[in-house]
Amino acid sequence: MNAAEVVNALLVQRFGVSSGDVTDETPLRSLRIDSLALEELRVLIEDQLDIDLEDVPLTSRNTVGQLVAAVDGMVPA
């Protein structure tokens, strides 16, 4: 799975977001991803992709696309 697939799957399966609501331009906060949920999402992404996102600055103001780009930057080629 690539970063986009992992992020989208987690948003839908773990956070109850409708897959139709997830676009690159969608702010995480509009999907009801607050700071606590974002931290949970970060841990789930780290576990699934075996990466460390601790140094990646993410807030609920980021878009789904920004999150995917940040995760993509951490996934080894």
Side-chain angles (χ1 to χ4, degrees):
M1 284 183 118
N2 67 31
E5 291 169 337
V6 169
V7 169
N8 290 344
L10 287 171
L11 286 170
V12 171
Q13 295 166 4
R14 294 302 276 275
F15 295 93
V17 173
S18 169
S19 59
D21 291 339
V22 180
T23 69
D24 283 348
E25 295 80 31
T26 306
L28 294 169
R29 66 180 170 199
S30 74
L31 300 175
R32 293 192 210 97
I33 303 295
D34 60 14
S35 58
L36 186 59
L38 183 58
E39 196 53 39
E40 182 181 348
L41 180 59
R42 178 192 304 258
V43 170
L44 292 168
I45 292 168
E46 289 175 337
D47 287 349
Q48 285 207 9
L49 295 174
D50 195 29
I51 58 174
D52 183 0
L53 295 172
E54 189 175 319
D55 295 331
V56 177
L58 294 170
T59 72
S60 60
R61 290 187 184 112
N62 288 106
T63 64
V64 173
Q66 290 169 320
L67 172 60
V68 169
V71 171
D72 250 349
M74 302 301 291
V75 177

